[in-house]
Amino acid sequence: MIILCFGSGYEAPPTSKHHVMHVLAERNTVLWVNYHGSRVPTASRADLRRIAQKLRQMAGGLTCPRDNLYVLTPLVVPLPGSGVARRVNRALLVGQIRRALRRMEHVTNGQRGQSPFRGFGERHVGLGRGSGAKIGAGPPPPLELWSFTPDVGYLLGRFGERRVVYYCVDDHSQFTGYDAEQVLRDEEALCRRADLVVTTSGPLQESRRPWNPNTILVPHGVDYEHFARALSDELSEPADLAAIPRPRLGFFGLLRDWVDLDLLAEVARRRPDWHVVLLGDSTLDLAPYRPIRNMHFLGPRPYADLPAYCRGFDVGLIPFRLNALTRAVNPIKLREYLAAGLPVVSTPLPEVARYDQWVSLAEGPEAFTAALERALASPVDPAARSAAMRGETWRAKVQQVLGAGG
């Protein structure tokens, strides 16, 4: 089985789409299309860096970063509201993807005709190098199209796909810089044509179900074995974290406009003996916060190192602003913190509230500070928090999706 996946940023730190496709690539071959035509770029420094990165990736051609998974960064015109650009992109993308498929090695005879929606428990033969026939030599292998972006409906039917899965993880219309009305039109069109719509939060399921009755709720999973390493005494503390006194209130992830740095700054001012530690790439102006001596911006850190940082945190933070975007979000870091054994304090997001046995919810500086005080004094065994996530692996979530069929 070939799975044609439309998702942005394969080179970025792992998110749901990475974890899902990595599981599927164990039994199928995945062509990941680094789709980057959903937003008109600006002249900002961050966008210029991203443009340069995309140009380098395009020049690199088709890559194979792991067994059975290929990545293509295609040339597209990033004007999502333009009908002309859409027609140009259709021609550009179809040609580039078909050429990539021809370059990928064919499935073995044992895989022909199998779908990941049947026999998930059976180990399929992979598409490793040297497996034999090329695509185009004999009948083409079956192909399914999975999209994590809402605006690829105009490409459906161009690859002979026998199934379409739309994996909806965010309310994309609420992201800054997106044309909300255009995104919703595109998303509705994709939902109506998809065989299955997967949503990761209750609000997303409720809003997409009118477009497709076969809309299911599958909350995010967790790379459990990876983050549970934080409970090991053998994991050494990173040097930059060791230089910061305890207690450490930790956050990792993208620092974007949905992260409430003003809230954390006020907590830091109220409790100068606490230290707020933030890991991740930022597009925010951090200048107003750097003079606060107990706020520490360490920048991006490799995914492989996050368990070590978790081991050095005393509390995991989810300080998201409350708005239409975040009310539909299901933070992956929630389960990662818990798998690492950390107590968690979050603003009152609907999906986080489902885990109120393990999470303290608070809104506003006073309540957030009080919740942190309770979390720091929490008598709950870290191993118990971690064990609660043992059954929420990405493999279990993928099996749930495959079991839903479509």
Side-chain angles (χ1 to χ4, degrees):
M1 169 65 62
I2 301 292
I3 295 177
L4 177 58
C5 169
F6 288 90
S8 61
Y10 184 79
E11 70 288 346
T15 61
S16 56
K17 51 186 178 281
H18 296 82
H19 293 296
V20 169
M21 287 299 131
H22 290 169
V23 172
L24 289 174
E26 295 174 0
R27 299 160 173 84
N28 307 275
T29 296
V30 174
L31 173 58
W32 177 301
V33 179
N34 255 344
Y35 190 79
H36 50 276
S38 301
R39 181 177 67 86
V40 179
T42 68
S44 69
R45 184 177 302 175
D47 275 3
L48 293 174
R49 283 199 304 267
R50 280 192 285 268
I51 290 170
Q53 182 184 51
K54 293 301 178 188
L55 290 173
R56 288 193 297 271
Q57 291 168 350
M58 289 177 203
L62 185 68
T63 62
C64 184
R66 59 192 295 145
D67 288 348
N68 301 340
L69 191 145
Y70 298 79
V71 176
L72 173 70
T73 302
L75 173 66
V76 298
V77 180
L79 295 173
S82 166
V84 173
R86 187 160 298 203
R87 289 191 292 273
V88 170
N89 283 343
R90 182 187 293 121
L92 286 172
L93 282 164
V94 169
Q96 292 172 90
I97 290 169
R98 286 177 177 169
R99 285 193 293 275
L101 289 170
R102 285 195 294 268
R103 289 186 58 197
M104 291 162 53
E105 293 177 311
H106 200 333
V107 293
T108 62
N109 289 336
Q111 281 185 288
R112 287 180 185 272
Q114 294 195 38
S115 164
F117 283 96
R118 293 192 294 275
F120 178 73
E122 179 183 351
R123 179 74 179 186
H124 292 182
V125 179
L127 284 179
R129 300 181 187 278
S131 62
K134 302 290 184 181
I135 291 176
L143 183 146
E144 294 183 358
L145 189 153
W146 293 51
S147 184
F148 290 81
T149 182
D151 52 346
V152 299
Y154 68 99
L155 294 169
L156 300 188
R158 301 285 168 161
F159 306 101
E161 64 274 6
R162 69 181 194 182
R163 189 184 304 273
V164 175
V165 177
Y166 172 42
Y167 212 117
C168 177
V169 302
D170 283 302
D171 186 346
H172 297 272
S173 68
Q174 297 300 318
F175 280 116
T176 301
Y178 282 56
D179 182 334
E181 293 183 1
Q182 183 67 49
V183 169
L184 289 173
R185 284 194 297 269
D186 290 340
E187 188 167 21
E188 180 178 357
L190 178 57
C191 284
R192 291 189 182 280
R193 295 185 62 185
D195 297 287
L196 176 66
V197 177
V198 181
T199 57
T200 55
S201 73
L204 289 174
Q205 184 187 30
E206 292 169 12
S207 58
R208 275 62 184 171
R209 184 182 281 156
W211 298 336
N212 189 323
N214 197 24
T215 297
I216 63 171
L217 172 62
V218 181
H220 287 309
V222 64
D223 189 352
Y224 179 77
E225 296 297 333
H226 182 61
F227 282 93
R229 293 174 55 234
L231 300 175
S232 170
D233 291 335
E234 298 177 1
L235 202 61
S236 59
E237 192 171 75
D240 55 353
L241 191 61
I244 299 171
R246 288 183 181 267
R248 305 178 190 127
L249 317 177
F251 171 93
F252 57 75
L254 297 176
L255 292 173
R256 299 293 187 265
D257 55 7
W258 57 80
V259 177
D260 194 346
L261 292 183
D262 292 332
L263 171 64
L264 297 182
E266 182 57 30
V267 170
R269 293 187 187 100
R270 288 169 178 248
R271 293 300 302 265
D273 55 321
W274 294 352
H275 291 264
V276 179
V277 181
L278 301 105
L279 312 179
D281 172 68
S282 176
T283 58
L284 303 175
D285 179 11
L286 302 181
Y289 309 101
R290 292 195 183 279
I292 303 174
R293 295 173 62 87
N294 56 333
M295 287 190 79
H296 309 268
F297 297 92
L298 302 187
R301 290 296 181 268
Y303 179 75
D305 295 345
L306 293 183
Y309 281 93
C310 285
R311 180 165 177 79
F313 292 163
D314 296 290
V315 179
L317 300 173
I318 306 179
F320 287 4
R321 299 182 186 276
L322 299 177
N323 53 39
L325 174 66
T326 59
R327 287 189 178 93
V329 79
N330 192 332
I332 295 175
K333 62 177 57 62
L334 166 64
R335 293 163 187 80
E336 293 172 341
Y337 289 156
L338 292 174
L342 287 171
V344 179
V345 176
S346 171
T347 49
L349 307 174
E351 291 303 312
V352 177
R354 297 174 185 262
Y355 291 78
D356 58 358
Q357 177 183 359
W358 306 107
V359 180
S360 296
L361 302 172
E363 184 175 2
E366 184 174 351
F368 209 83
T369 302
L372 286 165
E373 289 173 344
R374 293 192 298 271
L376 288 169
S378 173
V380 178
D381 180 8
R385 276 189 289 263
S386 181
M389 297 296 105
R390 191 184 300 275
E392 299 207 23
T393 64
W394 286 108
R395 191 175 306 282
K397 301 302 181 177
V398 170
Q399 190 161 8
Q400 185 178 347
V401 174
L402 300 183

